[in-house]
Structure formats: C-alpha cells, structure tokens
Amino acid sequence: MRGDQYLLLPGPTPIPERIMRAMNKSMVNHRGPELKEIIKDVTVGVKKTFKTENNVLIYPASGSGALEAAVVNFISPGDKVLSISIGVFGDRFAKIATQFGANVEKLDFKWGEVADPKVVKERIDQDVRKEIKVVLVTHNETSTGACNDIKAIKEAMGDHPAIIMVDAVSSLGATDLRMDEWNLDVVVSGSQKAYMIPPGLSFLACNSKALEVHKKNNNPKYYWDVTAGLKYLEKGQTPYTPAISLLYGLQEALKMIQEEGLENIFNRHRNYRDMVRAAVKEIGLQLLTDDKYASNALTSVVVPEEIGANKVRKFLLEEFNIALAGGQQTLDDKIFRIGHLGYVRQLDLLATLGAIEIALVKFGYDLQLGKGLNKAQQFILNNR
Amino acid sequence: MRGDQYLLLPGPTPIPERIMRAMNKSMVNHRGPELKEIIKDVTVGVKKTFKTENNVLIYPASGSGALEAAVVNFISPGDKVLSISIGVFGDRFAKIATQFGANVEKLDFKWGEVADPKVVKERIDQDVRKEIKVVLVTHNETSTGACNDIKAIKEAMGDHPAIIMVDAVSSLGATDLRMDEWNLDVVVSGSQKAYMIPPGLSFLACNSKALEVHKKNNNPKYYWDVTAGLKYLEKGQTPYTPAISLLYGLQEALKMIQEEGLENIFNRHRNYRDMVRAAVKEIGLQLLTDDKYASNALTSVVVPEEIGANKVRKFLLEEFNIALAGGQQTLDDKIFRIGHLGYVRQLDLLATLGAIEIALVKFGYDLQLGKGLNKAQQFILNNR
C-alpha cells in the first residue's frame, strides 16, 4: 500500500477537496444565465490575479494554447520577434512564433540563470529602425526554476514600440506580477499551477496597445481569436463551449485565493521555497538556480552524476508514491524538480525531504540522515 | 492555507481516492439484481477478514450499533454477563448489556494494560454453577491503544459453556483475528477503521453455538434481528434499505485488501506502529502501553503535565491541519492518540512526528529538534 500520491510537480498541482466538490456538479446550458454569472465572476477574479483592469479571456486549453493564442493574435507572418529564453518554455514560445511565420531572433541565457536586463537593453538599443515588433519572455521558467525580473526587462525596453508578451503560466498566483503597473501588453497563464485546478483552462490578458496590434494582425485564427472572445465576453459568454466543470473549479479556487489573500499566498510560496532550499543546501546538494532569482514555484536540485536524478525520482515514486518532475532535455537525469506550487502542504515537503535523504543514503551518498530534514524543521519552527 | 487534513485518528480513517470514486455512483434498486451481486460479493469479502465460514451480517450502523446488535440478539434480560474491560469501549459494551437487562459483572483492568488471561481463568473457574452466559471483551481498545490477546482469553474460558462476544471494531483488518480457529462465538466490527470507508456500516458474525443462544433470546429487537438478517441474506438482500453507497465503497475496499493481502496489511500496520513507538521513545515521551501488547491501530503518547496533551493537539490542528485524537475520560489532556490505521501513509506519520517535535520545542520541552524524526527516518531506511 503506497497511499494516494504526493503530487509535488510544478504543475499539475494538488486539487483541494473543496474544489473537487465544486467541480463535481451537473452541467448547465453554456448559453444560460447560470454560466453567465460564473463567467462574469471568474473573469473579475482572474483579473485580480493579473493585477489588471484589462479584459482576460479564458480558453478551454492548456497553457501552451494560451501561448499560441498570444502568437496568432499579436504576431503577423514576417514580424520580427525577439525571444528571450532561459529554458524549455522560453524556447517553446519562440517555436510557436516561428511556426506562425515570425522572424524570430533568439536571445538565450544559460539554463538555470535569468535574462540580464542589460543585455536586453543593448539589443533593443541596437534596433534603431524599430524592426522588432514583439518581445517574448517567460516569467517563471518551469524547466529550471529561475524567475525572470519582468519589471526590469520591460524597463530595459525603454520607449521602444514593440509589445511585450509574457508567459506567466507557472508564475501567476504564486509570484507577484503587475500587468498594469509594469505596463505589460500581453500576459498568459494556465489553470493547473497556482490556480489549484486541473489542466484545461488558460488565460490571456491584453492591453489596448496590444489590441491595436491585434486589429492589424493577419495570421489565420478561429479558436484563439481575441476579437471573438471579447465580443462574447460582453454578453457573459464564450464563442464556443467552455470547459464548464473547470469553470466551477476556478470559481471556487478564486474564492480560496481571495480568502487567503494574494500577498499571503506569495509569502507562503516564498516561505516553502526558502525552506526547501535551506534543507537541500544542508544535505549538500547543489541548487540549479541562485537564491537571487529562485522560483517561488519549484526548486531544481542537482544530483551527483554517480547517482543520477532519475534513480532518486524512481525510488521516491515506487517507495513513497511521491511524484517529482525530472530534468528536461539537456537537464535530463541531472536534476529533479520539487514543486512547491499551489495547494502543496508544508509538511508534505518536509516528508519529501526526509524521503529524499533516505533515497540518497540508500544510494551511497555520504549524508548524516536527518541533516536537511532538521534544517527544514528548524525553519518551520522559526517561521511561524 | 493549511491544506486538506492529515487525518490520523483511530477512525474515521482516510478514504482512498479509489474508494471515493467507487462510492460516487448513482443509487440502484436495493431489491434489484445489481445490489444482490454486491451484497453477495462483500459478504464473501468480509468473511475473509473475519477468517470465518460463518455468515456475516452488514448493518447500516456505526460500530456501536453492532455492539447493540450483539447484545440484543445474544443476551436475554437477567443473563449473567462477565465484561472484561480495559478502557472506554470495554465499558461501553458493558453499559449496553446493562441497558438491555443483563446482570453485568465487570472484570476491569488498568487502562493502558490488557486483560490477564490468568485472572479471567480464575473468575471462570469460580463459576462452578455455570451462571455466566456471556463473556464480553474488546480486541483492540481504541481509547488506550492496548490489544487484548483474544486467543488466550478464549482458551482461559476452557470448556465453560458461556459464549464469547468480541468487539473487534478497531482491530479487524489491521490485526489478526481468527474467528473460526479461535472458536469465537460472536465478533463485530465497523467500516470506518481498517476497512478504509466512511462510518456507517458495521459487521456481525456469529457461529452456530451463538445462533442456538439467539433462538432462545427474548430481548425485543427489530433493526438488529439476526434471524431476519440471515433470512434476507439468503436472497442477497437486507431486511430494510442498506447504505448503498457505503456498500459500493466496501466492495472497492475489499478488492484493495485482497490485492495487498491480509498478512501484508497486518505487517504494514505493525511496521508503522513500531516506527511511531521508536520515534516517540527517542523524543523522550512516555508511551501509555507496553510494547508487548501495543495496538497495531494507534499509539497513545503521554504528554508531560506542564504542557498538556490538548495544547499539542490544538497546535497541530491549527498550524498543520493534523487531526490526532485526545484522551478520553480520565485520560483527557494526559495523552494524545496517533492513529496509524487504514489508509494512512508512512510519510504522513513521519511529517506528523516532525510537527509534534516542533510543537514540543515551541512549548518549552527540552528536546533536540529532529531526534525522534531521525529515528523514524532510520527505521524507514532499515525496514524497506
């Protein structure tokens, strides 16, 4: 008997029982009055998490769908796009843009590190003929656990006319992002991360500057069309059938978010992150990212080559039913990623750190069992 | 955000997601063919957990209901009953018998200890006129975490004609009990303990000797009537509407029990118990029961008076949403009880031990944080 799973991924994240119950309701007419109320209600709630007065569209799609929506609505074939990438998801955003005809220039930074706003500024400043139409950037890079300074990157663009489009799929709700205050043009996010509901919803917000760009956009689109979405939203509807049970869940999730308070939620995520990092350091393992830009959502832990990260993950899954994410692409078997995102409990992280130690000792790593665990315990004691 | 609850009570116990889903089904006709199949199926399964070829009746009732069923079916007013009690639930069995007119003699043992078969034998041997009709005994005493040696107690009765009725509410499925091999006459159990389903079902098994006693029984009864129950069971029905969704859950639970194997389940419970006890000793707290007869289902931990057990429980509940049981009656505020019964995960116990340490240090108890936790970690490492 392994028991139900400890789901410690950087998404999907655990679903609160309260949300499970909220989703477990009958379907209603998606053009009827009940759903109209729900769509209005969740739109208001999601806007608060974006810290924006702009409208937010809710797509029945996963996070990558919202990336595609951003691309097909605001990038036209042939547009010059500057893609700032610090990992797999930065690359994905660039790839989608390429797929839809953009002329993408990559500005890559080392995986595990973040984009240097000075380097961005240099590139932008070089663009004296204002050829760059769109800048793509990932807020929280899920593949590494590094979190870009979006405010600084936007500032680095100065008064360059390009719009900035931010992939905030794994950051929103866990990390502060202020769409309006930072003057961000397009921001997208997804449901299966800090929003604590299953995958299947994604969010796209855009400001008036982006809408101007959209009007002239000539990429073919139907499902993702922002014009259609906004038109229907005025009536409290969606252009096509929405994912009704996920909207039930989202409504409940937004209630929970409001009850706890966004700033408290950010603090909780930081708190869990700091606990995990302190324990991992005490264990003697290397962290992929520096403290300065460490993600609130997940922590990538480097495992010594002679053990291998996947062996540790396999052991944790088989012995304790703990699901941790592995490294992607070049990071495969080098790291595992501990998600501390969404509805994760601090004691589940404590237990997982204990289990990681057991795995390491089992595989011959020189460790005094309990060293990191006690650090975490001490952290909890001192931070309540 | 505290997260969903760590339910570490000696019942109700956590419900596996698989069982939740199984229960979450539409109702059917309780006299129809679908339910007939289910009733037959679960009856076979429950019999296996009782290790009996006797029939088992399934009541829509909690465990105390099955105690009452045992009393009203097999004790007549005026019957001399010997009640062996080692705690609250032993007393309850005696109280119900008294309520229905039995002439109850209490044979009490100190709370936290078990019944001494020698003392039982002495009392039985004194009864040369065979006045005692029924012996009542609790297998696992939930209020203390002491587990009686039922086989030895039954043997102590020798060839005395009294029937023995065993309250196995919190033992069956977690602790070996062999109804037929040990020649037990009546055994009752409940659903919310090792059976991993919600409260609301209880089980009663009786052998042919008990049925003879039942035939002459003159206590008034309707709901609990064994004759009616057995008559309907032949048709795959119950005398009145059964708790259908709980039967769905029970069917799934019995599948899980069969998949894991009863002996493996007993070992798992022993393993968790030994881990908890080793850690608590390392922390320096006293255990209410001796290792020799420590319960597989729960562990009672004595908390120093200057701290108080309830303060620790309150802290764990408020800070971490961990539900532990308190002490009952004279044990109130003296102990807390950690349930390691049913679908509890070993790492939840590890986390809880960590949280208990944090609470103790917070309340000024002299402890090197992590001492017991590391003992538990070591235990896990060495017992896999």
Side-chain angles (χ1 to χ4, degrees):
Chain A
M1 199 284 285
R2 296 189 308 163
D4 290 339
Q5 191 156 68
Y6 293 92
L7 187 72
L8 296 172
L9 304 176
T13 60
I15 314 296
E17 208 193 325
R18 189 174 151 182
I19 290 179
M20 291 273 213
R21 281 198 303 271
M23 290 192 301
N24 202 0
K25 283 190 302 205
S26 302
M27 292 300 99
V28 293
N29 176 7
H30 68 289
R31 302 279 179 220
E34 304 95 332
L35 206 66
K36 191 173 287 187
E37 280 311 305
I38 293 176
I39 288 176
K40 282 186 179 167
D41 190 36
V42 297
T43 303
V44 169
V46 174
K47 281 165 71 167
K48 283 184 191 156
T49 62
F50 277 68
K51 297 192 173 174
T52 186
E53 295 297 321
N54 298 313
N55 267 318
V56 178
L57 294 178
I58 301 174
Y59 292 102
S62 66
S64 295
L67 295 181
E68 178 160 327
V71 166
V72 300
N73 279 289
F74 307 101
I75 300 177
S76 291
D79 276 357
K80 171 98 184 161
V81 169
L82 181 69
S83 152
I84 302 168
S85 176
I86 60 170
V88 172
F89 291 94
D91 287 357
R92 180 175 298 185
F93 212 172
K95 193 180 171 187
I96 297 170
T98 305
Q99 210 80 5
F100 286 92
N103 171 19
V104 176
E105 178 184 326
K106 291 284 294 319
L107 190 59
D108 289 347
F109 295 85
K110 199 181 157 200
W111 287 15
E113 297 182 0
V114 288
D116 182 349
K118 272 185 245 131
V119 176
V120 174
K121 186 174 187 313
E122 270 167 35
R123 181 62 193 89
I124 290 288
D125 287 349
Q126 280 167 19
D127 185 33
V128 287
R129 290 157 66 188
K130 314 297 180 196
E131 286 172 339
I132 298 171
K133 301 294 177 219
V134 180
V135 173
L136 304 180
V137 66
T138 315
H139 188 194
N140 184 76
E141 176 55 56
T142 313
S143 67
T144 62
C147 189
N148 271 320
D149 185 344
I150 295 297
K151 184 168 177 269
I153 291 169
K154 170 64 189 173
E155 283 168 0
M157 289 171 62
D159 55 3
H160 191 288
I163 59 167
I164 184 168
M165 305 217 291
V166 181
D167 167 0
V169 169
S170 65
S171 66
L172 263 189
T175 309
D176 198 16
L177 181 139
R178 308 175 183 193
M179 183 174 188
D180 292 358
E181 191 182 319
W182 300 350
N183 200 17
L184 308 174
D185 303 299
V186 177
V187 178
V188 300
S189 194
S191 61
Q192 77 278 26
K193 312 278 185 178
Y195 291 92
M196 306 180 286
I197 64 173
L201 291 184
S202 56
F203 315 122
L204 182 150
C206 58
N207 64 11
S208 54
K209 181 177 170 191
L211 277 179
E212 289 306 311
V213 172
H214 165 70
K215 275 180 199 156
K216 292 173 221 142
N217 179 278
N218 60 4
N219 241 320
K221 55 193 155 292
Y222 178 83
Y223 195 83
W224 310 117
D225 189 1
V226 162
T227 297
L230 290 175
K231 197 183 107 196
Y232 276 85
L233 184 58
E234 276 179 33
K235 300 186 283 178
Q237 291 188 14
T238 50
Y240 38 79
T241 319
I244 298 177
S245 39
L246 293 174
L247 291 179
Y248 294 157
L250 178 60
Q251 192 177 35
E252 193 66 24
L254 291 166
K255 264 188 222 160
M256 290 178 71
I257 289 172
Q258 205 181 347
E259 282 166 21
E260 186 174 359
L262 260 187
E263 307 308 315
N264 292 332
I265 293 173
F266 300 154
N267 281 335
R268 168 163 59 80
H269 280 87
R270 262 194 296 271
N271 191 251
Y272 288 11
R273 171 196 72 187
D274 293 345
M275 178 188 85
V276 167
R277 294 177 71 87
V280 170
K281 283 177 192 167
E282 193 73 14
I283 289 170
L285 293 183
Q286 205 194 318
L287 293 160
L288 186 68
T289 60
D290 193 277
D291 287 347
K292 286 198 297 288
Y293 43 76
S295 164
N296 277 4
L298 74 142
T299 297
S300 291
V301 179
V302 182
V303 177
E305 216 170 298
E306 60 276 20
I307 297 177
N310 291 342
K311 202 161 91 179
V312 175
R313 286 176 59 225
K314 187 164 177 279
F315 178 85
L316 294 177
L317 185 65
E318 286 176 356
E319 295 290 318
F320 303 109
N321 207 3
I322 297 173
L324 299 185
Q328 292 173 292
Q329 300 177 15
T330 57
L331 293 172
D332 181 32
D333 207 27
K334 293 196 167 52
I335 61 165
F336 59 74
R337 294 175 291 153
I338 305 172
H340 30 78
L341 177 57
Y343 199 62
V344 165
R345 298 177 295 191
Q346 192 166 23
L347 288 192
D348 286 347
L349 294 167
L350 186 79
T352 298
L353 290 163
I356 289 170
E357 289 192 345
I358 290 170
L360 291 171
V361 170
K362 188 104 183 172
F363 297 138
Y365 180 77
D366 182 24
L367 169 70
Q368 184 199 324
L369 200 64
K371 206 159 175 272
L373 194 59
N374 301 359
K375 190 81 183 175
Q377 231 183 345
Q378 196 74 54
F379 185 96
I380 296 173
L381 181 63
N382 297 337
N383 288 280
R384 294 201 89 80
Chain B
M1 197 284 284
R2 297 189 308 164
D4 290 338
Q5 190 157 70
Y6 294 91
L7 188 71
L8 296 172
L9 304 176
T13 60
I15 314 296
E17 209 192 325
R18 188 174 151 183
I19 290 180
M20 291 273 213
R21 280 198 303 271
M23 291 191 299
N24 201 0
K25 282 191 303 206
S26 303
M27 292 301 99
V28 292
N29 176 7
H30 68 290
R31 302 279 179 221
E34 304 95 332
L35 206 66
K36 191 173 286 187
E37 280 311 304
I38 293 176
I39 288 174
K40 283 186 179 167
D41 190 35
V42 296
T43 303
V44 168
V46 173
K47 282 166 71 167
K48 283 183 190 155
T49 63
F50 277 69
K51 297 192 173 172
T52 186
E53 296 296 322
N54 299 313
N55 266 319
V56 178
L57 295 179
I58 301 174
Y59 292 102
S62 66
S64 295
L67 295 181
E68 178 160 326
V71 166
V72 300
N73 278 289
F74 306 102
I75 300 177
S76 290
D79 276 358
K80 171 97 184 163
V81 169
L82 182 68
S83 152
I84 302 170
S85 176
I86 60 171
V88 170
F89 291 93
D91 287 357
R92 180 176 296 184
F93 212 172
K95 192 181 171 186
I96 297 171
T98 305
Q99 209 79 6
F100 286 92
N103 171 18
V104 176
E105 178 183 326
K106 293 283 293 320
L107 190 58
D108 290 348
F109 295 86
K110 198 180 157 203
W111 287 16
E113 297 183 0
V114 287
D116 182 350
K118 273 186 244 128
V119 175
V120 174
K121 186 173 188 313
E122 271 167 34
R123 180 61 194 89
I124 289 289
D125 287 350
Q126 280 166 18
D127 185 33
V128 286
R129 291 157 65 187
K130 314 297 179 196
E131 286 171 338
I132 298 171
K133 301 293 178 220
V134 180
V135 172
L136 304 180
V137 65
T138 316
H139 189 194
N140 184 75
E141 175 55 57
T142 314
S143 66
T144 62
C147 191
N148 271 320
D149 184 344
I150 296 296
K151 183 168 178 272
I153 290 169
K154 170 64 189 172
E155 282 168 1
M157 288 171 62
D159 56 1
H160 190 288
I163 60 168
I164 185 168
M165 306 217 288
V166 181
D167 166 359
V169 170
S170 66
S171 65
L172 264 188
T175 309
D176 199 15
L177 180 139
R178 306 176 184 193
M179 183 173 187
D180 291 359
E181 190 182 319
W182 299 350
N183 200 17
L184 308 174
D185 303 299
V186 176
V187 178
V188 299
S189 195
S191 60
Q192 77 277 27
K193 312 279 185 177
Y195 290 93
M196 307 180 286
I197 63 172
L201 291 183
S202 55
F203 315 123
L204 182 149
C206 56
N207 65 11
S208 54
K209 181 177 169 191
L211 277 179
E212 289 306 313
V213 172
H214 165 70
K215 275 181 200 156
K216 293 174 221 141
N217 179 278
N218 60 3
N219 241 320
K221 54 193 157 291
Y222 178 83
Y223 195 84
W224 309 117
D225 189 2
V226 161
T227 297
L230 290 175
K231 197 182 107 194
Y232 276 85
L233 185 59
E234 276 179 31
K235 300 186 284 179
Q237 291 187 15
T238 49
Y240 38 79
T241 319
I244 298 176
S245 38
L246 293 174
L247 292 178
Y248 294 157
L250 179 61
Q251 191 176 35
E252 193 66 24
L254 290 165
K255 262 187 223 162
M256 291 176 71
I257 289 171
Q258 205 181 348
E259 282 166 20
E260 187 175 359
L262 260 186
E263 307 309 315
N264 292 332
I265 294 173
F266 301 154
N267 282 335
R268 168 163 59 80
H269 280 86
R270 263 194 295 272
N271 191 252
Y272 289 10
R273 171 196 72 186
D274 292 345
M275 178 189 84
V276 167
R277 293 178 70 88
V280 170
K281 283 177 194 168
E282 194 73 16
I283 289 170
L285 294 183
Q286 205 193 317
L287 294 159
L288 185 69
T289 60
D290 194 275
D291 286 349
K292 286 199 298 287
Y293 43 76
S295 164
N296 277 5
L298 73 141
T299 296
S300 291
V301 178
V302 181
V303 177
E305 217 170 298
E306 61 275 20
I307 298 177
N310 291 343
K311 201 161 91 179
V312 175
R313 286 175 59 224
K314 189 164 176 277
F315 179 84
L316 295 176
L317 186 65
E318 286 176 356
E319 295 290 318
F320 302 110
N321 208 2
I322 297 173
L324 298 184
Q328 292 173 291
Q329 300 178 16
T330 57
L331 292 172
D332 181 33
D333 207 27
K334 293 196 169 49
I335 61 165
F336 59 74
R337 294 175 292 152
I338 305 172
H340 30 78
L341 177 58
Y343 198 62
V344 164
R345 300 177 293 192
Q346 192 166 23
L347 288 192
D348 286 347
L349 294 168
L350 186 77
T352 298
L353 290 163
I356 289 170
E357 289 193 344
I358 290 169
L360 290 171
V361 170
K362 188 104 182 170
F363 297 138
Y365 180 76
D366 182 25
L367 171 70
Q368 185 199 322
L369 201 63
K371 206 158 175 271
L373 194 59
N374 300 358
K375 189 81 182 176
Q377 229 182 347
Q378 196 73 54
F379 184 96
I380 296 173
L381 182 63
N382 296 338
N383 287 280
R384 294 200 91 79

